[in-house]
C-alpha cells in the first residue's frame, strides 16, 4: 500500500489597527552668513532661543535633541562677460535639526508651534505621528497570523473531510508596514 503525502499550504495574515501614541517634532534651522564664525554663533543663538521657548512649556534641555548639524560653504555660479561661469562664495550655511518627542497631545503640539513661532528663528516644522514599541506589536501580529493560518487550514480540511496532521513546515516571512503617518 502506498502512502500519499498530502500537503496543505495556507498563509496566515495578521492585521492590527493602531493609533499613534507619540508625536515627533523636528525643527529644521538653516541660515546663510558671510563668515563661518557668524554661522556658528548664530546657530548657537538660534538653538538657545528655541530651547528657551520650549523650556517655558516645561521641557528640559535633554528633551530637545540635535539629530543633525552642519556648516557648509555655499557658492553661486554666474555667467561672466566672456560667457563662462564664475563661482563665488556666498557664505556659510548652517543646518541644524532639533527633535522633540511628546505623547499624542494636540493641545500641547499647538502650544509648541505657537512658542516656536514667537522666536525670530522661523524654523521649518516637521510633524510625524508615531507608534512606539513596534517590536511587541510585531510579535502580536505573528500570533494573529499563526491563528489565522490554523483557522484557514481547519476550514479547508473540514470542507474536504480530511484530518489535519502535524505541521511540517512554517515559512516565516514578515511584510513590514511603516508605522508612522
Amino acid at each position: 500500500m502506498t502512502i500519499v503525502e498530502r500537503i496543505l499550504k495556507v498563509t496566515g495574515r495578521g492585521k492590527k489597527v493602531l493609533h499613534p501614541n507619540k508625536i515627533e517634532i523636528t525643527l529644521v534651522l538653516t541660515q546663510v552668513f558671510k563668515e563661518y564664525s557668524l554661522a556658528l554663533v548664530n546657530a548657537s543663538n538660534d538653538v538657545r532661543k528655541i530651547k528657551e521657548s520650549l523650556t517655558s512649556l516645561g521641557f528640559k534641555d535633554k528633551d530637545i535633541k540635535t539629530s543633525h548639524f552642519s556648516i557648509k560653504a555655499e557658492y553661486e555660479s554666474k555667467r561672466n562677460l566672456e560667457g563662462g561661469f564664475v563661482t563665488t562664495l556666498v557664505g556659510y550655511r548652517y543646518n541644524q535639526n532639533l527633535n522633540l518627542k511628546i505623547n499624542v497631545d494636540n493641545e500641547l503640539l499647538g502650544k509648541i508651534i505657537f512658542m516656536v513661532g514667537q522666536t525670530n528663528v522661523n524654523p521649518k516644522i516637521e510633524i510625524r505621528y508615531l507608534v512606539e514599541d513596534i517590536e511587541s506589536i510585531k510579535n502580536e501580529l505573528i500570533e494573529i497570523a499563526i491563528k489565522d493560518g490554523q483557522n484557514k487550514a481547519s476550514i479547508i480540511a473540514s470542507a474536504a473531510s480530511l484530518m489535519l496532521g502535524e505541521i511540517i513546515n512554517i515559512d516565516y516571512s514578515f511584510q513590514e508596514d511603516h508605522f508612522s503617518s
Side-chain angles (χ1 to χ4, degrees):
M1 179 171 170
T2 308
I3 298 177
V4 178
E5 185 177 295
R6 298 180 197 167
I7 298 176
L8 172 61
K9 290 184 179 185
V10 294
T11 300
R13 302 206 186 275
K15 182 178 179 181
K16 191 168 179 117
V17 177
L18 301 169
H19 298 285
N21 58 0
K22 289 287 182 187
I23 299 174
E24 181 180 60
I25 303 141
T26 302
L27 305 173
V28 181
L29 292 70
T30 184
Q31 284 192 68
V32 178
F33 295 91
K34 288 283 184 194
E35 296 176 25
Y36 183 91
S37 61
L38 287 174
L40 190 58
V41 167
N42 280 282
S44 178
N45 288 338
D46 288 349
V47 169
R48 182 185 45 76
K49 291 174 190 173
I50 294 289
K51 285 187 173 185
E52 284 174 0
S53 73
L54 294 175
T55 54
S56 73
L57 292 172
F59 293 102
K60 299 189 178 357
D61 271 0
K62 68 178 182 158
D63 298 329
I64 307 155
K65 297 180 170 79
T66 295
S67 61
H68 171 78
F69 178 78
S70 66
I71 297 178
K72 296 180 182 176
E74 191 162 300
Y75 298 92
E76 180 179 79
S77 294
K78 291 184 180 179
R79 281 198 189 272
N80 62 18
L81 297 174
E82 293 84 40
F85 284 95
V86 177
T87 303
T88 56
L89 178 67
V90 174
Y92 297 89
R93 177 177 295 278
Y94 89 84
N95 291 294
Q96 185 160 2
N97 294 357
L98 299 176
N99 290 344
L100 175 66
K101 273 190 187 177
I102 62 170
N103 291 325
V104 172
D105 181 340
N106 289 323
E107 186 177 327
L108 178 57
L109 176 61
K111 289 177 182 177
I112 291 168
I113 293 169
F114 177 80
M115 290 305 292
V116 167
Q118 296 301 301
T119 68
N120 64 350
V121 177
N122 299 319
K124 177 181 170 190
I125 300 173
E126 299 173 356
I127 299 168
R128 288 183 38 185
Y129 287 82
L130 308 170
V131 173
E132 276 199 336
D133 196 17
I134 297 298
E135 205 54 42
S136 69
I137 292 165
K138 285 181 181 180
N139 291 338
E140 285 180 46
L141 288 172
I142 291 169
E143 290 178 14
I144 293 168
I146 289 171
K147 288 177 184 171
D148 180 57
Q150 289 172 326
N151 187 46
K152 288 176 182 175
S154 294
I155 291 169
I156 292 169
S158 177
S161 300
L162 299 173
M163 299 246 331
L164 287 177
E166 290 187 27
I167 295 173
I168 297 171
N169 183 32
I170 293 179
D171 180 12
Y172 171 72
S173 60
F174 191 89
Q175 179 183 345
E176 181 133 355
D177 289 328
H178 299 283
F179 296 96
S180 68
S181 63

